[in-house]
């Protein structure tokens, strides 16, 4: 996506501003013992109130869960005491996506993880420019983390963002890597280092639970409620991820569970599994979306 069209640039900037304001508000309200669903709904509502739409459900991923947890309907989960809480939010304006994340730390022992993730993000932003190899960028992020005696999560990456796409094209690994591509002028990228403890595995694996989904293919549905649900998903979220919380009240409550199950079994939906650190060690994250300009980048979020 080349973003130097004036209209596109304006929408991207607006999307980023909405997200920045939402993130700073949320940073101030996350507390121990708070229901996770309150954080998700608060963030998503703030994005809407400011004139955007959520580009994906608000992720609240705690401790060893690195990413991809959002509250299912009627979630009772609360923020545990002494936890490390990643809040990852996305907004779009007319499909133009921005993506940002912070880690709120309630355990002084883990503060260094948050500091390292933020420092790695800052260094990446200072270095990113057209034609930079993604391996060099990864090496810079990796070095910033290792110098602090910590470990990057090697199989979680940043990514290019596109219209109605959160993960478009190029990935940005947080470590040096062999198959490298180059950063492109006028493209928009989400940069997101993940940091864990030095004795951790330093990679994530899929967890059991799935709370985030997106449309795969609009497969024909026999069940009329499944059909109705699928139509709503197509119209409302297009190719963007969504949560089951966003599907309540679309079909009668008594038919919802079966209809949703049908969509999953017919492979009309893609599931985003939770990502859990393989050795169950805590993970911190920091993320911004940037637009690559001639001599560097502009932070949109
Ligand atoms: Mn994100
Ligand atoms: Mn991202």
């Amino acid at each position: 996506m080349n973003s130097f069209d004036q209209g596109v640039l304006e929408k991207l900037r607006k999307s980023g501003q909405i997200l920045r304001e939402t993130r700073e508000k949320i940073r101030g309200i996350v507390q121990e013992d708070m229901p996770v669903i309150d954080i998700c709904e608060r963030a998503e509502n703030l994005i809407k109130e400011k004139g955007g739409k959520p580009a994906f459900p608000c992720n609240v991923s705690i401790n060893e869960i690195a990413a991809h947890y959002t509250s299912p309907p009627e979630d009772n989960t609360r923020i545990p005491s002494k936890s490390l809480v990643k809040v990852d939010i996305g907004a779009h304006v007319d499909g133009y996506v921005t993506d940002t994340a912070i880690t709120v730390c309630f355990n002084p022992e883990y503060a260094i993880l948050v500091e390292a993730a933020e420092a790695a993000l800052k260094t990446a932003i200072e270095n990113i420019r057209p034609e930079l190899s993604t391996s060099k960028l990864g090496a810079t992020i990796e070095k910033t983390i290792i110098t602090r005696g910590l470990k990057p999560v090697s199989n979680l990456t940043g990514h290019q963002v596109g219209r109605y796409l959160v993960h478009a094209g190029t990935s940005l690994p947080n470590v040096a890597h062999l198959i490298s591509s180059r950063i492109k002028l006028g493209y928009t990228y989400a940069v997101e280092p993940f940091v864990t403890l030095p004795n951790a595995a330093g990679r994530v694996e899929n967890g059991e639970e799935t709370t985030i989904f997106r449309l795969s293919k609009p497969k024909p549905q026999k069940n009329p409620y499944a059909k109705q649900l699928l139509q709503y998903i197509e119209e409302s979220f297009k190719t963007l991820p969504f949560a089951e919380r966003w599907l309540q009240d679309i079909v009668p409550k008594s038919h919802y569970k079966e209809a949703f199950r049908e969509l999953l079994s017919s492979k009309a939906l893609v599931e985003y599994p939770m990502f859990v650190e393989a050795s169950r060690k805590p993970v911190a994250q920091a993320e911004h979306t940037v637009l690559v300009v001639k001599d560097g980048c502009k932070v949109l979020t």
Side-chain angles (χ1 to χ4, degrees), residues 91 117 165 176 205 275:
L165 286 173
E205 57 190 29
F275 287 144

Side-chain angles (χ1 to χ4, degrees), residues 31 57 69 108 132 134 139 148 172 188 213 217 225 243 252 290 296:
Q31 281 179 42
Y69 182 86
L132 176 68
T134 57
R148 286 166 169 75
L172 303 180
T188 310
F213 308 85
K217 276 189 189 130
Y225 298 110
V290 306

Side-chain angles (χ1 to χ4, degrees), residues 56 88 99-100 157-159 161 166-167 190-192 285 287:
F56 51 82
D88 191 332
D99 180 0
T100 191
T157 70
H159 48 96
V161 295
V166 181
H167 286 249
V191 186
E192 50 182 318
Q285 171 202 22
E287 179 177 26

Side-chain angles (χ1 to χ4, degrees), residues 2-283:
N2 190 305
S3 308
F4 290 128
D5 173 272
Q6 205 46 49
V8 171
L9 198 54
E10 229 159 82
K11 285 169 187 168
L12 264 175
R13 283 220 177 98
K14 187 173 179 206
S15 170
Q17 188 187 340
I18 289 167
L19 208 56
R20 176 168 64 246
E21 290 172 9
T22 301
R23 179 191 63 221
E24 292 314 309
K25 188 86 190 177
I26 293 295
R27 193 198 294 276
I29 67 158
V30 177
Q31 281 179 42
E32 290 166 294
D33 204 38
M34 180 180 265
V36 168
I37 197 166
D38 287 359
I39 300 169
C40 295
E41 288 179 346
R42 186 76 182 272
E44 292 159 9
N45 288 334
L46 276 168
I47 291 168
K48 290 183 213 163
E49 282 162 26
K50 293 172 189 295
K53 286 183 180 162
F56 51 82
C58 170
N59 288 213
V60 178
S61 305
I62 296 165
N63 295 337
E64 72 274 15
I65 300 170
H68 293 178
Y69 182 86
T70 193
S71 281
E74 290 158 47
D75 190 13
N76 292 320
T77 313
R78 287 171 181 267
I79 300 294
S81 54
K82 297 202 161 194
S83 59
L84 198 56
V85 184
K86 294 154 297 286
V87 181
D88 191 332
I89 53 177
H92 76 90
V93 172
D94 192 30
Y96 293 98
V97 173
T98 55
D99 180 0
T100 191
I102 50 169
T103 302
V104 182
C105 180
F106 297 107
N107 185 342
E109 226 181 290
Y110 299 147
I112 183 175
L113 274 69
V114 182
E115 192 274 330
E118 285 171 358
L121 176 58
K122 183 168 179 279
T123 313
I125 288 169
E126 285 163 358
N127 280 277
I128 208 165
R129 61 178 185 280
E131 296 309 310
L132 176 68
S133 103
T134 57
S135 182
K136 267 203 178 144
L137 181 66
T140 307
I141 291 170
E142 185 174 19
K143 190 176 160 213
T144 310
I145 295 166
I146 287 174
T147 313
R148 286 166 169 75
L150 298 167
K151 201 178 230 180
V153 176
S154 62
N155 60 347
L156 285 176
T157 70
H159 48 96
Q160 195 190 325
V161 295
R163 193 165 185 218
Y164 289 108
L165 286 173
V166 181
H167 286 249
T170 314
S171 292
L172 303 180
N174 294 310
V175 292
H177 49 280
L178 290 174
I179 304 166
S180 179
S181 53
R182 286 180 192 279
I183 297 292
K184 290 204 178 83
L185 177 68
Y187 281 39
T188 310
Y189 299 89
V191 186
E192 50 182 318
F194 289 82
V195 180
T196 187
L197 296 174
N199 60 348
R203 58 185 168 77
V204 290
E205 57 190 29
N206 292 348
E208 307 260 295
E209 204 181 343
T210 302
T211 58
I212 302 173
F213 308 85
R214 86 172 153 76
L215 178 70
S216 166
K217 276 189 189 130
K219 299 257 170 93
Q221 300 294 323
K222 275 188 220 143
N223 178 325
Y225 298 110
K227 193 174 174 178
Q228 202 181 334
L229 212 48
L230 189 59
Q231 200 171 2
Y232 179 81
I233 290 166
E234 247 188 294
E235 285 167 7
S236 312
F237 319 126
K238 295 192 167 63
T239 41
L240 292 171
F242 61 86
E244 283 195 79
R245 282 183 289 111
W246 298 358
L247 300 178
Q248 307 305 299
D249 311 321
I250 308 304
V251 300
K253 250 195 161 47
S254 53
H255 292 282
Y256 169 78
K257 276 209 164 102
E258 198 196 339
F260 192 74
R261 231 184 350 254
E262 289 279 320
L263 294 184
L264 286 176
S265 61
S266 68
K267 305 248 188 285
L269 304 181
V270 178
E271 303 184 48
Y272 288 88
M274 250 161 57
F275 287 144
V276 188
E277 206 286 321
S279 55
R280 306 301 186 260
K281 294 288 195 287
V283 175

